[in-house]
Amino acid sequence: MNQFLKIGQRVLATLVLICAANVSSQAQQTDEAPVVESAQSSYLPSRKQVYDIVIMGDVLGTGLWAGMNRFVETEDRVTVTGRIQENSGLARPKLYNWAKAADNLLGSRPFDIAAIMLGANDARDINSPEGFLRFGSDEWRKAYAAQINALVNALKKHKVAIYWIGVPPMRRKSYDNAMKVVAEVERQVMAERGVRYIDLRLLLADSDDSYTDRGDDGTGTIVRLRSRNGVKFIAGGNDRLAVELMKLVKADIAIGDGAGGGPAVVPLQEEVILTPEELAALPAFVAERPGAEAPVKIEPAQLPGLNYTEIARVNEDAIKRAAREGLTLFDKVRSSTVEGSAARLLFTDGIWPDAPADRFDSFSVAKDPASSAQ
């Protein structure tokens, strides 16, 4: 492994992906640490004493929010809140449209930073006007990238700084292969859009790129980070997510502080000094760096089947039964619904039925004051 690869990996392990669109400054060396000139405009929208962060995500985003709540107890520069839909994703906008939700949220309450953690529920085909797009296909990748871009556009419309947390390694092999596909599309879009990206596979995978439930908790201590289901994080893992996010946020806050008077000092792990040209040359994918192995292409047979989902599986017994029958649990549940029913529409097309007009909690129906008083 050559020197350039080692430098790139050390930097990415600390501040992850730094996109070329955000590296226009001249870095200078001091006796203490690298310096970013104040000529660089901050990644953050404006210079503030306190920055408001909103966590947007699925079930893994819930853990990130919990870890951030603990982290900010000792921080006076940031606040944190969250918008979580545990079973949501970007592959089913009819079920939950994250771009629309983000636009509505930010239109009603401004935030400075949005931390996004989505993708764990997206190992599924996409229902497009042309029909179902097979998960992992070129058409699927384009459609999924379009959904990611729609969310990025909604966030950029409100001038928030975006930090995208990639999907982590997963214990189940087929699910892990699926998450590699999701992460690949996420990384590519973030690189193209100049968005800060935290590569959890690079940070949390074992030395052979396989799943491990143990790792650095952010303080140098090796502990168990993941739940026994091989998907979620336990408290130590959620704290690690918060540590990685705040490393990047605090570095950008330092740049923002320096923008008004003098350069901001941004410490890098092991005092590695990179020029702007070297930073800009770092690609989105580890395997593309000089001296690294070629990217591994995952064969379709190794990917989950139609509308596969992991988070929504109910229990181990149900998983075993579905496996014996050659079906994912999602397929099993969907096949048990009645043709033409609201349940079939929900499971097949992601279409929620409209509420009955005469329902007691419908705000569109004028109620008789006399009857409501009884």
Side-chain angles (χ1 to χ4, degrees):
M1 184 181 293
N2 60 35
Q3 184 178 6
F4 183 78
L5 174 58
K6 291 180 180 178
I7 291 174
Q9 287 180 327
R10 288 201 300 271
V11 173
L12 283 172
T14 306
L15 297 181
V16 295
L17 178 62
I18 300 180
C19 300
N22 298 313
V23 187
S24 58
S25 65
Q26 294 295 318
Q28 297 178 345
Q29 181 178 356
T30 68
D31 293 336
E32 295 81 17
V35 171
V36 178
E37 289 285 0
S38 59
Q40 175 178 341
S41 60
S42 173
Y43 185 70
L44 301 175
S46 60
R47 186 182 183 188
K48 297 181 66 177
Q49 182 59 37
V50 177
Y51 295 87
D52 295 321
I53 302 175
V54 58
I55 310 293
M56 299 183 185
D58 51 31
V59 65
L60 298 184
T62 304
L64 172 62
W65 187 9
M68 283 293 291
N69 276 328
R70 289 188 289 271
F71 192 100
V72 301
E73 287 179 356
T74 57
E75 291 290 325
D76 59 2
R77 298 299 303 274
V78 297
T79 67
V80 63
T81 189
R83 168 61 67 87
I84 303 295
Q85 289 291 327
E86 290 197 346
N87 291 324
S88 70
L90 295 168
R92 285 290 179 89
K94 290 182 179 179
L95 190 63
Y96 191 82
N97 191 319
W98 268 105
K100 184 177 180 180
D103 190 23
N104 291 339
L105 173 65
L106 296 170
S108 61
R109 177 184 172 184
F111 287 91
D112 306 298
I113 295 169
I116 313 300
M117 195 169 189
L118 289 166
N121 295 315
D122 286 336
R124 60 178 77 239
D125 297 348
I126 291 178
N127 187 7
S128 74
E130 294 75 30
F132 278 98
L133 305 179
R134 168 76 177 176
F135 174 73
S137 65
D138 289 343
E139 293 77 12
W140 184 94
R141 291 168 185 262
K142 291 177 183 177
Y144 191 62
Q147 291 301 320
I148 297 174
N149 272 304
L151 176 53
V152 171
N153 290 340
L155 296 170
K156 284 183 174 286
K157 169 186 172 183
H158 294 278
K159 296 180 171 56
V160 298
I162 307 169
Y163 296 80
W164 196 285
I165 297 88
V167 288
M170 301 296 184
R171 184 179 65 187
R172 190 184 300 274
K173 189 62 177 177
S174 61
Y175 188 31
D176 191 46
N177 283 339
M179 291 300 97
K180 288 179 182 178
V181 174
V182 171
E184 183 179 331
V185 179
E186 287 181 340
R187 281 194 300 261
Q188 186 63 40
V189 173
M190 297 310 116
E192 293 170 354
R193 299 300 301 272
V195 170
R196 301 285 201 238
Y197 179 79
I198 299 178
D199 192 336
L200 291 186
R201 176 163 291 276
L202 180 66
L203 292 170
L204 301 178
D206 214 343
S207 57
D208 60 353
D209 194 40
S210 62
Y211 172 86
T212 175
D213 64 358
R214 299 182 65 81
D216 184 347
D217 65 355
T219 68
T221 303
I222 303 301
V223 298
R224 189 161 70 90
L225 304 176
R226 308 294 293 273
S227 168
R228 297 191 186 283
N229 66 12
V231 177
K232 297 181 181 180
F233 290 83
I234 60 177
N238 291 326
D239 290 347
R240 173 68 189 279
L241 298 179
V243 166
E244 294 303 327
L245 173 58
M246 285 305 299
K247 280 181 184 178
L248 206 50
V249 170
K250 291 173 78 172
D252 284 323
I253 288 176
I255 294 173
D257 289 345
V265 176
V266 183
L268 296 178
Q269 187 181 25
E270 300 181 17
E271 296 185 348
V272 176
I273 312 300
L274 297 182
T275 66
E277 291 73 24
E278 288 173 325
L279 283 171
L282 290 177
F285 301 98
V286 178
E288 291 179 357
R289 299 193 186 100
E293 296 180 1
V296 176
K297 180 175 176 57
I298 301 171
E299 297 300 326
Q302 296 179 280
L303 296 173
L306 178 67
N307 293 321
Y308 175 92
T309 182
E310 180 81 10
I311 301 296
R313 285 181 163 172
V314 179
N315 56 51
E316 289 298 323
D317 289 338
I319 293 173
K320 291 175 182 177
R321 286 198 302 272
R324 285 197 300 269
E325 299 175 17
L327 296 170
T328 66
L329 185 60
F330 194 93
D331 294 325
K332 179 77 172 175
V333 173
R334 185 183 57 182
S335 64
S336 68
T337 58
V338 177
E339 183 72 34
S341 67
R344 176 63 62 88
L345 285 174
L346 174 60
F347 278 102
T348 303
D349 300 320
I351 299 174
W352 288 93
D354 292 330
D358 58 347
R359 225 171 65 173
F360 79 94
D361 59 347
S362 174
F363 295 100
S364 61
V365 178
K367 294 182 173 61
D368 182 356
S371 63
S372 62
Q374 295 176 355

